[in-house]
Amino acid sequence: MTAFRGSKILTVLAIESSCDETAACVLRLRDSGEAEILASRVASQDEVHRPHGGVVPELASRQHLKILTPLVQETLAASGLAASALEGVVATARPGLLGSLLVGLSFAKAFAWTLNKPFIGVSHLEGHLNAPYLETPGISYPHIGLLVSGGHTALYHCRAFGDDALIGATRDDAAGEAFDKVAKMLKLAYPGGPVIDQLAKSGDPKYHQFPRGQVKGRPLDFSFSGLKTAVRYYLERRGGSLCPPDQLEQLAPTESELHNICAAFQEAVVDSLIEKTLAAAKQFGDKTVLLTGGVACNSRLREKITEVAQDQGLSCIVSSPQYCTDNAAMIAYVGARRLARGESSPWDLNAYPTEIMKGPQDS
Ligand code: KG4
Ligand code: ZN
């Protein structure tokens, strides 16, 4: 396989299948670093997983298998390009659900092989961290990146493209996971983040003071399990004394209480995320913070962090919601930039469930 060698424009197809969204994108990268999305499609699996209250890995892989081929065909058709016009194929190789990753990775390799074009496997997390560049080219380095999703909650000191140092992470649940679990306790639909966000709009964030998790001696680390437990205890104690879980139904919150609980819980998550992100900016002397990942769609987080950052003389960049949640455009962008600098992956590149298991020969 030949690696791509510099040209003015590089057009790639990318596939994202690390969790419960099947996504494809055709993107054109200019040598100025600007990206043009020719077509981007995301097929959500929410309907498949909703009855189970969370992602079922085996169902996710099967669903990817079922819809990936028609989705790629649709994306290519929408881009107006023939497959032969592609100069490389990109796929998410890590981290994520192994079965899900393997579907997209194997498809991408086979597609690249038949086109005789280079293939590259990239990190989903690097994709999220670069998503803001899709709409705001030229964001300067260094900056702080807050990646906040269903699987990850972490802070990075981003020093250059491909040089993102992990400086803080969650000790237990990811913020999105906390949203989804609390939504489940409140008997709300999966995924819970967008539902809580919506209900909280007409609730009082000061209704109850839920804890803002701290990790002793690690000011840039997050913890959400205490908050989740506090919500459970709050619900159980609402009757005045501790209510056994099997009698919780009788104490179901009224409509307005439900909105208030959502608002107070959301405020606690948002405050923790903002506090650590601004502390990181201060510690590293950075003037720009980027927000990315599904939880970055949260309306209260977007509003409050923009306000607080402005007060402190920082610029805060948050993508449009469709580039915060899982998508293939961010994967295409990272892959295209790496291909453009002569990188590619070997045909035997494997998928990895975690970010750290990076093989020496991997991209
Ligand atoms: O980035 P993403 O699409 O997938 C992962 O890589 O995890 O993030 C999905 C997560 C889910 O936990 C979902 O509940 C959460 O993002 N989420 C939100 C909102 N929209 C999605 N959380 C809070 N508020 C939202 N508006
Ligand atoms: Zn993600």
Side-chain angles (χ1 to χ4, degrees):
M1 171 190 34
T2 47
F4 178 86
R5 305 234 175 270
S7 108
K8 295 287 173 205
I9 286 173
L10 176 57
T11 307
V12 298
L13 166 75
I15 290 156
E16 154 62 38
S17 68
S18 63
C19 189
D20 61 340
E21 319 278 4
T22 320
C25 174
V26 177
L27 175 142
R28 189 172 270 167
L29 180 76
R30 299 186 184 280
D31 67 352
S32 61
E34 237 168 276
E36 186 188 350
I37 297 166
L38 301 184
S40 178
R41 296 284 184 274
V42 180
S44 164
Q45 298 185 3
D46 284 352
E47 296 302 324
V48 174
H49 302 288
R50 189 164 289 134
H52 307 279
V55 178
V56 181
E58 181 61 25
L59 295 181
S61 331
R62 287 170 187 268
Q63 190 67 10
H64 287 308
L65 259 183
K66 196 168 143 189
I67 58 177
L68 187 53
T69 305
L71 189 81
V72 169
Q73 282 169 335
E74 188 192 317
T75 311
L76 262 174
S79 76
L81 296 181
S84 56
L86 299 171
E87 290 154 291
V89 183
V90 189
T92 305
R94 60 181 190 276
L97 301 171
L98 203 50
S100 290
L101 284 167
L102 281 169
V103 175
L105 190 66
S106 310
F107 185 103
K109 282 185 201 174
F111 207 77
W113 175 274
T114 55
L115 292 173
N116 195 26
K117 294 287 158 63
F119 150 79
I120 190 158
V122 304
S123 154
H124 181 80
L125 306 184
E126 193 179 5
H128 273 304
L129 286 172
N130 281 279
Y133 285 86
L134 293 168
E135 296 173 296
T136 316
I139 302 166
S140 64
Y141 289 100
H143 56 250
I144 298 296
L146 171 68
L147 197 175
V148 65
S149 70
H152 298 90
T153 295
L155 277 167
Y156 292 84
H157 187 224
C158 307
R159 301 178 288 212
F161 175 76
D163 183 11
D164 307 307
L166 182 69
I167 53 170
T170 180
R171 286 300 163 127
D172 36 62
D173 292 338
E177 204 178 346
F179 268 102
D180 295 339
K181 287 178 177 168
V182 165
K184 204 169 180 176
M185 281 180 218
L186 294 168
K187 306 209 169 358
L188 302 172
Y190 172 86
V195 184
I196 291 183
D197 188 353
Q198 196 53 36
L199 295 175
K201 285 190 204 300
S202 44
D204 175 8
K206 295 200 179 79
Y207 177 72
H208 183 80
Q209 179 75 8
F210 286 117
R212 276 66 175 156
Q214 297 294 347
V215 181
K216 216 173 158 205
R218 307 269 314 172
L220 301 185
D221 280 355
F222 304 87
S223 170
F224 295 105
S225 69
L227 168 60
K228 192 185 63 190
T229 310
V231 175
R232 186 163 57 80
Y233 274 23
Y234 178 83
L235 292 172
E236 289 173 4
R237 284 176 201 275
R238 280 173 58 259
S241 59
L242 193 64
C243 171
D246 61 341
Q247 287 170 32
L248 263 179
E249 292 284 2
Q250 298 157 21
L251 288 171
T254 62
E255 198 63 20
S256 74
E257 249 181 311
L258 177 64
H259 292 214
N260 287 336
I261 295 168
C262 287
F265 158 75
Q266 177 177 271
E267 200 70 6
V269 177
V270 165
D271 282 351
S272 291
L273 295 174
I274 295 178
E275 184 203 317
K276 311 281 154 185
T277 306
L278 298 189
K282 192 168 176 199
Q283 183 174 324
F284 289 88
D286 290 341
K287 290 284 170 218
T288 305
V289 298
L290 306 190
L291 246 65
T292 183
V295 180
C297 293
N298 185 268
S299 56
R300 181 66 180 143
L301 175 62
R302 295 167 82 93
E303 169 192 69
K304 198 168 182 180
I305 198 167
T306 310
E307 228 175 78
V308 180
Q310 208 165 28
D311 282 352
Q312 303 201 6
L314 302 174
S315 112
C316 177
I317 299 171
V318 198
S319 308
S320 309
Q322 81 256 33
Y323 301 124
C324 288
T325 47
D326 287 351
N327 66 87
M330 65 187 192
I331 301 302
Y333 177 80
V334 170
R337 286 206 58 178
R338 288 187 173 274
L339 287 170
R341 62 186 199 186
E343 294 178 30
S344 63
S345 296
W347 296 115
D348 63 354
L349 177 81
N350 213 341
Y352 298 111
T354 61
E355 179 67 10
I356 337 139
M357 289 169 68
K358 201 168 161 181
Q361 84 283 33
D362 301 351
S363 67

